[in-house]
Amino acid sequence: MSAIDHYINDIIVRGGAEALEDGSAATEAHHLLLALATFEDTAAHRVLTTAGLGRQAIREALDREFEHSLNAVGVSLASYRLPHPSRDPERTSAMGASARLAIERGFAASTGKKDLRPAHLLLGVLGTEIGTVPRALALAGVDRAELMARVRETLPHETW
């Protein structure tokens, strides 16, 4: 297996762990974003951390997005004590539609598998037009288009 194959597998496995930690039935694009933020020594990680988007900052943005979404339907986290997510260590997380699409977009952003890099996967996740990722980044004050441009700028200069 090539380095990118191992990396993709590691991102999917870590994203699945993030989904299980959330109590989610499926691994979605935002879980992959959290996973991308944990793997150091990649252009994807460097771009995220340079933009102030380490794993903890992304987690906080996702938590704000969750609270904002609940508020949109008239539910206030301050008014209710929600139970902690159910975590079943025996359960595996299926790949959700947004994660599958993010990976497909990542592959499409490269000129072929031999040229695929972690930054391409980040582009795939950031390319999500609707859903949790763009809402969370917007609430965090991140310009998604600018962040994607930064990722694209790294591609010609980064081998990994």
Side-chain angles (χ1 to χ4, degrees), residues 74-91:
V75 177
S76 168
L77 280 179
S79 300
Y80 298 97
R81 178 174 237 118
L82 295 178
H84 292 287
S86 299
R87 294 179 181 95
D88 181 357
E90 301 297 316
R91 189 180 83 207

Side-chain angles (χ1 to χ4, degrees), residues 69-124:
S69 293
L70 287 177
N71 285 336
V73 294
V75 177
S76 168
L77 280 179
S79 300
Y80 298 97
R81 178 174 237 118
L82 295 178
H84 292 287
S86 299
R87 294 179 181 95
D88 181 357
E90 301 297 316
R91 189 180 83 207
T92 58
S93 179
M95 188 68 70
S98 68
R100 281 193 309 275
L101 289 171
I103 291 171
E104 287 174 14
R105 279 191 301 272
F107 274 90
S110 76
T111 56
K113 186 176 177 195
K114 66 179 178 59
D115 297 320
L116 185 65
R117 302 286 182 266
H120 291 109
L121 292 179
L122 180 56
L123 280 175

Side-chain angles (χ1 to χ4, degrees), residues 122-135:
L122 180 56
L123 280 175
V125 171
L126 295 175
T128 304
E129 294 291 328
I130 57 172
T132 304
V133 171
R135 287 191 309 263

